[in-house]
Amino acid sequence: MRLFFKTLTAEMKKQHLNYFYSKTIYISLFIWPILNFITTYFSFKPFKISRSNIPYLNEENMIIFILLGYMTMSLFRSLVQSAWNFSFERISGTLELIYMSPASRQGVILGNALSSLFESVIVMVMFSIGVMILKRDALNINYVSLSIVFIITIIMAVLWGMMLNAMFLFSRDSGFLFTIFEEPMEIFAGVKVPTVLFPTWAKIISFIFPLTYSIEAVRRCILNKAPINEIKNFILIGITIIVVLYILSNIIIYIVEKHSRKTGEFTYF
């Protein structure tokens, strides 16, 4: 009996250390109930679409409006999830092998982001195209503008994934980071509800996510036939975000690699 309780307490202590290895985990546990509350509130609170001042949003194209939000989000969400899974590379020891080999750190991280993007979103894209064919009467597409928006969005999503791969790979707190970047992105980026209807504090949060800008641009090109001059702000913002994400990714890799060479430890954050 004594051995039983000794084993029981040892296992409980081990699991506690596994799941609560950092104080930031408690922050994550605090965030989840708040996010669930906000999700429930904005799901059931009646929004007055007529007050949104969005000329291309109406009852006829509401399905396409929401579908475009989820289709664009799938590009970014797949990379958040792949980056979280990539964090297990550190646990399994692959990170040490990467540093012992002449492999390019940027190449490994970018390769993971690219492969995850194309493998994860193809079904969603095919489904979205099928729905849009059935609801083609609600479409008003500018194909030139959409092509530009699509290219910038893809590059932005890949570099977003590259930065998250760098963060998640080197962080023991990938669960905490996953909580920050996964659920809030869907809530605040305007996937279901236009951001113009958000209160000020929610609009401020929405500006953090690159997805917010992509969703708005995609909807404008497909539902409102937006010409290039109407998406020029997105082009400038998108290019700026791409440059910033690339620089941040390389800074993270440089800092962690320098730390690892100095201390021999592969866990930095």
Side-chain angles (χ1 to χ4, degrees):
M1 185 64 68
R2 181 180 178 183
L3 179 61
F4 169 77
F5 283 107
K6 188 174 181 180
T7 304
L8 177 65
T9 54
E11 180 63 20
M12 291 176 64
K13 183 178 180 180
K14 184 187 75 174
Q15 293 301 329
H16 175 76
L17 293 175
N18 284 337
Y19 290 102
F20 297 92
Y21 47 76
S22 172
K23 293 181 181 178
T24 56
I25 293 298
Y26 295 99
I27 301 177
S28 178
L29 294 175
F30 176 74
I31 290 176
W32 268 113
I34 296 177
L35 293 178
N36 287 333
F37 171 78
I38 293 174
T39 302
T40 303
Y41 176 77
F42 281 110
S43 296
F44 291 95
K45 180 181 180 297
F47 285 94
K48 296 182 178 180
I49 301 299
S50 59
R51 296 183 179 180
S52 65
N53 294 323
I54 301 177
Y56 54 87
L57 178 58
N58 51 57
E59 296 296 332
E60 287 71 24
N61 62 18
M62 180 64 71
I63 293 177
I64 301 297
F65 182 87
I66 297 175
L67 178 70
L68 292 175
Y70 275 103
M71 183 184 70
T72 309
M73 183 190 68
S74 67
L75 301 176
F76 290 82
R77 168 173 276 180
S78 65
L79 290 165
V80 175
Q81 293 174 339
S82 70
W84 183 61
N85 291 327
F86 197 40
S87 66
F88 293 104
E89 299 283 351
R90 171 182 49 77
I91 298 174
S92 63
T94 309
L95 178 60
E96 284 83 348
L97 295 177
I98 292 174
Y99 274 100
M100 291 173 64
S101 72
S104 167
R105 293 21 161 190
Q106 292 87 346
V108 172
I109 293 175
L110 182 59
N112 179 272
L114 279 170
S115 63
S116 300
L117 176 66
F118 293 110
E119 290 175 4
S120 301
V121 305
I122 184 169
V123 175
M124 182 62 185
V125 171
M126 291 175 62
F127 171 76
S128 300
I129 292 175
V131 173
M132 285 190 286
I133 290 175
L134 294 175
K135 300 285 292 184
R136 56 184 176 275
D137 293 339
L139 304 181
N140 189 19
I141 306 175
N142 185 317
Y143 291 98
V144 175
S145 297
L146 181 60
S147 300
I148 297 173
V149 169
F150 178 76
I151 293 172
I152 293 177
T153 296
I154 290 293
I155 297 174
M156 196 157 49
V158 170
L159 288 175
W160 171 257
M162 183 178 177
M163 186 195 71
L164 293 182
N165 274 327
M167 293 176 64
F168 284 23
L169 183 60
F170 297 116
S171 173
R172 278 188 61 86
D173 297 330
S174 58
F176 169 62
L177 294 172
F178 182 78
T179 301
I180 294 176
F181 290 115
E182 169 71 358
E183 193 72 15
M185 184 172 65
E186 178 179 354
I187 296 173
F188 296 107
V191 175
K192 293 180 286 188
V193 180
T195 55
V196 295
L197 297 177
F198 285 173
T200 303
W201 63 268
K203 289 180 181 178
I204 294 174
I205 297 176
S206 71
F207 294 149
I208 299 174
F209 300 102
L211 175 61
T212 303
Y213 308 100
S214 291
I215 286 179
E216 177 63 18
V218 168
R219 284 170 173 164
R220 285 181 176 274
C221 292
I222 294 180
L223 296 176
N224 201 38
K225 204 173 184 177
I228 295 178
N229 65 313
E230 285 190 14
I231 62 168
K232 60 183 180 181
N233 288 337
F234 167 76
I235 295 174
L236 293 175
I237 293 173
I239 293 174
T240 301
I241 291 175
I242 288 171
V243 173
V244 170
L245 290 176
Y246 181 77
I247 292 174
L248 285 177
S249 299
N250 283 280
I251 288 176
I252 293 171
I253 294 172
Y254 172 78
I255 292 175
V256 177
E257 187 172 21
K258 182 179 179 180
H259 171 83
S260 301
R261 288 176 175 174
K262 182 178 180 180
T263 65
E265 298 178 0
F266 290 90
T267 299
Y268 181 77
F269 293 101

